[in-house]
Structure formats: C-alpha cells, structure tokens
Amino acid sequence: MKKGMIVYSSKTGNTAKVAQEIYERLNLENISELHPVESAPDPASADWLLVGFWVDKGDADPRALEYIGKIMDKKVGVFGTLGAYPGSQHAEDVKERVGARISKNNTLLGSFLCQGKIDPKLREMFRGFPPGHPHAMTPERIKRHQDAESHPDNEDITAAADACREMLIKAGVC
C-alpha cells in the first residue's frame, strides 16, 4: 500500500484545523502521517503528499513554499485557506500559481481553497491604508473580513475532505 503524508503550514490555526479534519475524516492513519511543516520529514520518504498552506501575498506562505521546493517526482495535492472568497479571481490565481510550482517536478493531483479567518494584525494593517490604496478597507473588504470570521466551517471542511479524497483516488490511494 502506498504511504503518504499530509504536511501543513498554519499561521492562525485555520489550515491546521483543515489538515487535521482531512486526516480524520478520510481515516488515513494507516496509510499516512500528519505533520506541521516545521517538523515534517523529508518528502522523499512518502509516495504521495497533501500539502496545506495559508495564502500570503497571492501565493502559498513561505514555509509551505520552502517545503514544496523539496518535493520531487511525487503525486501531490494541495489545499489552503485564504481571507478572500474561494470562488474569487484571487483564489483562482493562487491555485494556478501554487499548481505551477507543484507541477514543475511532480504530478499535481488537484487543489482546494477555502476561506479562513484573517490574521488580526493583517486586518489592523489594512485599516491603516488610505482610501484609494489597493488594500484599503472598503465596504466590500469589511464584509469579506466579517464573512471570513466564521471560516473554515463544517461545510468548508467537508468540501476539503471530499476534494482531497478525489485527489487520493487519482493517486491510486483510495
């Protein structure tokens, strides 16, 4: 049986929550390991990986990117959390950017993004931007930040587990 790993990076706990729930809901304890990126083993020790990240400046966060850069010749699925809406153009751009990084040396199994709570320090920084700045607090941005407070929720986690199950079917694991 092929062995795998779920490796995740999390700043505010959103991605950690999603990773833990994917692991539990897919009942992967007999075929995979779950690791925060800081203590994750070398990816060469796995047949397949699911890599979780939080979105930072339109890409996977720096710790996740560093780990992704070490993955070679593997089947890899990715999942992440972001403050934007998951159906937004920003989310699609993130999926494309991260997918291209994975595809460079690996087989991309799929990608999934859901909304997550926004780091309070980042929200405070946005409040300090003047009107007209690309990240200034507008009524739309305030609403999106408020909406993000309740995420990831049970629906997000169910969708993440379903998406990762599909990825693992592609990998020949499920």
Side-chain angles (χ1 to χ4, degrees), residues 4-5 10 13 15 30 32 45 48 65 69-70 74 81 100 102 110 116-117 133 137 139 141 144 151 156 158 166 170:
M5 287 193 291
S10 192
T15 312
N30 293 327
S32 72
S45 65
W48 56 267
L65 287 175
K70 297 175 185 177
K74 302 292 178 186
T81 59
I102 294 292
K117 293 173 199 70
H133 185 281
M137 293 303 279
R141 180 165 277 127
R144 182 170 45 82
H151 294 273
D156 297 325
T158 298
E166 289 300 316
K170 283 184 185 177

Side-chain angles (χ1 to χ4, degrees), residues 16-169:
K17 177 181 179 179
V18 173
Q20 182 67 43
E21 288 287 336
I22 289 168
Y23 184 76
E24 290 174 11
R25 289 181 185 210
L26 296 184
N27 196 24
L28 297 174
E29 64 271 358
N30 293 327
I31 60 169
S32 72
E33 301 171 2
L34 176 67
H35 299 281
V37 72
E38 300 86 0
S39 60
D42 185 321
S45 65
D47 295 312
W48 56 267
L49 294 103
L50 295 175
V51 179
F53 60 91
W54 53 276
V55 174
D56 183 29
K57 300 177 190 91
D59 208 338
D61 68 273
R63 290 182 298 177
L65 287 175
E66 182 180 344
Y67 193 79
I68 286 168
K70 297 175 185 177
I71 303 171
M72 302 292 268
D73 301 320
K74 302 292 178 186
K75 294 179 179 181
V76 183
V78 294
F79 63 95
T81 59
L82 75 164
Y85 296 118
S88 67
Q89 184 60 52
H90 178 64
E92 291 304 313
D93 292 345
V94 169
K95 285 182 183 179
E96 186 175 318
R97 196 169 290 117
V98 175
R101 291 178 182 279
I102 294 292
S103 298
K104 192 163 107 180
N105 300 312
N106 304 284
T107 301
L108 178 64
L109 299 171
S111 60
F112 174 84
L113 289 176
C114 69
Q115 196 170 28
K117 293 173 199 70
I118 299 168
D119 182 356
K121 291 177 187 173
L122 187 59
R123 290 177 70 173
E124 193 58 38
M125 183 179 76
F126 287 154
R127 283 189 193 102
F129 290 141
H133 185 281
H135 295 293
M137 293 303 279
T138 62
E140 184 278 335
R141 180 165 277 127
I142 291 168
K143 179 175 180 348
R144 182 170 45 82
H145 286 206
Q146 290 169 340
D147 291 347
E149 285 302 305
S150 63
H151 294 273
D153 61 17
N154 193 53
E155 285 183 32
D156 297 325
I157 291 168
T158 298
D162 290 347
C164 288
R165 179 179 293 107
E166 289 300 316
M167 293 177 210
L168 295 180
I169 289 169

